[in-house]
Amino acid sequence: MISNRLWISLCLAGLCWGDFALAQDTSGAAAAGSGSGTSGSSGTSGTSGTNSGTSGTSGNSSFGTTPSGTGAATPGESGTGAGKKSGGTSSGNPSDAEPTDTTTPGGVPPPKTGGSVDPFVSTTPKTDKPAGTNVPGASSAFGTPPTPADETSAFGKKPAGTTDTTTEPSGPSSTFGPNDSTSTQQAAPPTFTLPGFFGGPSSTFVGGQGRLAHPRFRYKVTTSEGYDDNVLQTPDNQQRAPDQRVLVDPGTADTVTFVPVTTTTYEQAFAGPIIYYRPVTTTTFQRVVTKGRDPVFRTIRSPEPQKRAGSVISRLGLQFDAQQVTRRSLFTLDFNGSVDHYWNRPGSAGHEDYSGTLALAYLYNFTPRLQASLTANIAYISQPDFTRLNTPGNLGGGDLVNALIRLNVMYRLTPRFSTTLSVGQNAVINVNKSSSNGLGANTNGDSFETTYSAESRYLWKPRYTLLAEIRHVMIDYPDTPDLNSHTELLLLGAEMRLSSRFTATVRLGESIRIFDTSGDTSSSPYAETNLTYRIGPTSNVQWSSRFGYEEPPGVGSEALGFRTTLAYSKAFTPRLSLSASVTGVTRNTTFQNSSGQSDQSEQTIDASIGLEYHVTRQLTLNATYSFTKIITSTGDRDYDRSRIFIGGEYEF
């Protein structure tokens, strides 16, 4: 028979054992819900699983580490362990993942429902990627991932022990960067990508990095001294025109006149016995020749060829920029104006050149699917700028205003499929039109090119996005309406993120141009390529190319151009940096006339290199050198030109 004391001892032992088992269940549930990201859907223990674990220390990459919020479920959990939060996808499960894929982004199947988890066994999938390296997803028109936080920055390595707060964006097909997270983990900075002007590269901005790390408003005053060895862009091989002989007085011919001559003679006559002499008058005509004047000619000597002239240049400029970024919007504004004084420039061009640029960019995310952006770049050009389409290589006829504007509306239909509607304007306006032809610096005068575009994007693979685009281009020449035309373009391409350092965008297709007045039709291949390669933490290379129709020199002609620009930047130290670029332009022009067909070609090389040294936070010294060379098939406009400037800028 069991005593009362023994019964009390057995009851106390049972209660202690129950408390111990309950504690074991609670700790296992907490371990199962732990992870580095947003907690999953909450539930009570034993019913829907426990997902309220604290943030772990696993990596935040969408490839190679356990995604945030991923954890094995406790017994009775109804979830899949994918870490989904109520009302949306967790920050660690990219929105661009395969819709039917049941594995984690790292390639490891999710934990089975109802299984137990050993808190000392890691569920992180194995990967060959170095620890701490974030492998970005596929490139997207809507945003690219920020630079991995564990990479060396342009001005030094990240301090040891600094917490990595960089996360991958929500997915390659996402237009708007990473989704907002309500977890305790620090949110990644917003990432925005602005489409470039048609044929140009896009621009990526990351909150808190690059120019978005600068103060909201900045003012700079710049000054420099330089030298230009060919201020008039004088051709190298000039031929002196022959002298002209001009008729001043045509003179007169010899004239013949007949002058009457009267002669009186006396003849004998008789009047009876008286003899007398009577006068007899006779008239005759005498031929008189009047000598005419000889023609008078004057020889006009042709002017001597324009001599190559160099001049010292003094430059004074003012710069202003503004930037503002939120989780949903981006705004940037840049203004750069300068005046160049030439101490020795002959001719009627004057001694001052004025130039300026106003650039504006605005982007706003209305919803997680809808985004709109506006970019504009308006430049007053007094010197050739070969990076701008349809601007001449010699501005001896006057200054130009070149305006580039593009409006985009992007909508993400599904995590893989998105569309973009765009309208763009490229205007070239002559400031000073010549009195002789009224056309100014451009042979064809002013031009207004309007482009309508519809683009579709499909995320094929995590690193590859397929593109399809239709463009309708209308170009109008108010001064030469016979050149008015419209062009249809059908383009196919891809956007590729070949590695965390190398991205590329390619568009290929066909363009068909129809002249409005004559109805003549022609077709040509069309291509656009943009490549970006990050050589190292402090150096970057970008290469852009375009092939297609360009402004024809006149009626009955056709011009095809290939333009390519290679740019390189390098930061040697936090104070010293270098930038260099090379632009090449090749134009082939075909002329149709009654005598047949003739071809002309023109090649342009424009290279520049610059150094900057930050003496203090406000004061910067700089030096730039540029070289331009134009080669034509006729040789009448070939010239080369070198310019060098040394100066500084002060920031307020």
Side-chain angles (χ1 to χ4, degrees):
M1 185 173 182
I2 303 175
S3 64
N4 292 335
R5 182 175 298 178
L6 181 59
W7 276 111
I8 294 174
S9 300
L10 292 175
C11 290
L12 291 175
L15 291 175
C16 292
W17 176 259
D19 293 339
F20 177 77
L22 180 60
Q24 290 288 345
D25 292 340
T26 305
S27 63
S34 63
S36 61
T38 306
S39 60
S41 56
S42 61
T44 59
S45 175
T47 302
S48 60
T50 302
N51 285 324
S52 59
T54 59
S55 299
T57 59
S58 60
N60 54 21
S61 170
S62 60
F63 293 88
T65 57
T66 303
S68 50
T70 301
T74 59
E77 179 179 355
S78 60
T80 62
K84 292 186 178 180
K85 63 181 179 181
S86 176
T89 305
S90 68
S91 62
N93 187 16
S95 63
D96 60 328
E98 298 280 353
T100 60
D101 190 3
T102 60
T103 63
T104 64
V108 177
K112 296 181 180 179
T113 303
S116 61
V117 177
D118 186 348
F120 300 100
V121 178
S122 174
T123 60
T124 303
K126 295 182 179 180
T127 177
D128 295 333
K129 182 184 67 172
T133 303
N134 294 329
V135 179
S139 58
S140 166
F142 309 121
T144 56
T147 303
D150 58 338
E151 294 284 355
T152 304
S153 68
F155 298 97
K157 292 183 177 294
K158 181 180 174 182
T162 304
T163 304
D164 186 1
T165 59
T166 304
T167 61
E168 295 293 333
S170 60
S173 65
S174 172
T175 311
F176 316 104
N179 296 329
D180 291 335
S181 175
T182 58
S183 69
T184 57
Q185 182 184 14
Q186 184 175 352
T191 302
F192 303 96
T193 295
L194 288 168
F197 300 106
F198 293 104
S202 60
S203 302
T204 300
F205 297 88
V206 179
Q209 300 181 19
R211 70 169 296 167
L212 298 184
H214 297 162
R216 179 172 297 181
F217 302 103
R218 293 194 306 170
Y219 303 87
K220 295 181 181 180
V221 175
T222 64
T223 181
S224 59
E225 292 292 324
Y227 181 79
D228 187 342
D229 69 348
N230 192 358
V231 296
L232 300 178
Q233 302 148 59
T234 303
D236 299 331
N237 302 317
Q238 296 188 87
Q239 301 294 328
R240 183 176 178 272
D243 296 339
Q244 296 182 357
R245 193 179 183 193
V246 180
L247 179 63
V248 178
D249 185 358
T252 58
D254 295 344
T255 58
V256 178
T257 58
F258 293 90
V259 179
V261 177
T262 301
T263 304
T264 302
T265 61
Y266 294 89
E267 61 180 10
Q268 187 176 6
F270 295 93
I274 301 172
I275 301 173
Y276 67 95
Y277 295 89
R278 60 180 181 184
V280 177
T281 302
T282 59
T283 302
T284 60
F285 292 89
Q286 184 178 0
R287 183 174 181 270
V288 177
V289 178
T290 303
K291 186 70 174 177
R293 299 191 310 274
D294 293 333
V296 178
F297 294 90
R298 185 178 64 184
T299 300
I300 299 178
R301 294 184 59 83
S302 298
E304 294 293 331
Q306 178 179 285
K307 295 183 178 180
R308 187 183 183 104
S311 175
V312 174
I313 305 174
S314 298
R315 173 176 294 175
L316 180 64
L318 175 65
Q319 298 179 10
F320 167 76
D321 62 67
Q323 42 274 325
Q324 183 176 5
V325 62
T326 66
R327 301 299 299 182
R328 301 180 63 180
S329 64
L330 168 73
F331 173 77
T332 63
L333 175 67
D334 295 271
F335 170 78
N336 185 358
S338 64
V339 55
D340 292 349
H341 177 77
Y342 291 80
W343 294 91
N344 178 30
R345 183 165 66 175
S348 59
H351 294 283
E352 280 78 29
D353 273 351
Y354 299 92
S355 60
T357 303
L358 177 64
L360 169 69
Y362 180 72
L363 182 149
Y364 188 79
N365 294 330
F366 292 94
T367 69
R369 294 176 178 267
L370 179 62
Q371 172 183 291
S373 63
L374 172 67
T375 53
N377 190 302
I378 303 173
Y380 185 97
I381 303 173
S382 58
Q383 295 295 326
D385 187 348
F386 299 98
T387 61
R388 293 180 174 268
L389 193 64
N390 293 337
T391 55
N394 192 311
L395 294 184
D399 299 345
L400 294 176
V401 173
N402 181 223
L404 299 171
I405 303 173
R406 182 174 179 179
L407 174 65
N408 306 275
V409 177
M410 293 164 278
Y411 186 75
R412 184 174 58 192
L413 299 173
T414 69
R416 288 178 174 269
F417 185 74
S418 61
T419 60
T420 303
L421 300 178
S422 304
V423 58
Q425 179 70 49
N426 179 9
V428 179
I429 303 172
N430 294 273
V431 178
N432 301 315
K433 293 191 175 182
S434 172
S435 59
S436 60
N437 56 18
L439 302 181
N442 264 4
T443 305
N444 300 325
D446 300 343
S447 64
F448 300 89
E449 181 177 341
T450 306
T451 302
Y452 299 94
S453 169
E455 182 186 65
S456 298
R457 310 171 67 88
Y458 178 74
L459 178 65
W460 179 44
K461 291 184 178 180
R463 295 182 181 270
Y464 298 91
T465 301
L466 303 182
L467 311 175
E469 183 179 5
I470 298 176
R471 295 181 190 173
H472 176 71
V473 183
M474 300 181 299
I475 185 166
D476 178 58
Y477 296 89
D479 300 309
T480 52
D482 290 340
L483 289 178
N484 294 349
S485 65
H486 60 277
T487 305
E488 310 293 340
L489 294 95
L490 177 61
L491 307 176
L492 300 175
E495 190 173 87
M496 299 162 284
R497 182 169 293 276
L498 304 178
S499 69
S500 61
R501 297 174 180 264
F502 188 22
T503 60
T505 303
V506 178
R507 290 179 175 88
L508 304 175
E510 187 77 8
S511 61
I512 302 175
R513 170 172 286 186
I514 303 174
F515 287 93
D516 298 341
T517 303
S518 63
D520 295 340
T521 304
S522 60
S523 63
S524 168
Y526 183 88
E528 290 179 8
T529 61
N530 294 285
L531 290 84
T532 301
Y533 182 70
R534 185 164 55 90
I535 300 176
T538 62
S539 59
N540 184 70
V541 172
Q542 189 173 62
W543 182 26
S544 302
S545 299
R546 177 193 181 275
F547 176 82
Y549 284 116
E550 295 199 359
E551 180 182 87
V555 179
S557 61
E558 178 182 283
L560 285 172
F562 173 72
R563 294 174 177 265
T564 181
T565 300
L566 180 65
Y568 171 77
S569 61
K570 169 71 174 179
F572 299 101
T573 68
R575 294 178 179 267
L576 180 63
S577 61
L578 176 144
S579 61
S581 66
V582 177
T583 298
V585 181
T586 299
R587 283 172 52 95
N588 294 316
T589 306
T590 301
F591 296 90
Q592 296 283 356
N593 48 45
S594 58
S595 59
Q597 177 177 309
S598 60
D599 297 329
Q600 292 183 6
S601 63
E602 177 181 312
Q603 288 79 37
T604 302
I605 298 176
D606 185 68
S608 65
I609 185 171
L611 285 172
E612 279 193 355
Y613 182 77
H614 296 270
V615 181
T616 64
R617 182 178 295 274
Q618 290 78 24
L619 180 61
T620 302
L621 302 180
N622 54 59
T624 60
Y625 171 78
S626 62
F627 174 79
T628 303
K629 178 68 175 179
I630 292 182
I631 303 174
T632 61
S633 57
T634 57
D636 57 342
R637 293 184 293 110
D638 297 5
Y639 77 88
D640 64 88
R641 183 184 192 187
S642 295
R643 310 182 85 195
I644 185 171
F645 285 92
I646 299 176
E649 62 182 36
Y650 188 84
E651 177 182 341
F652 295 93

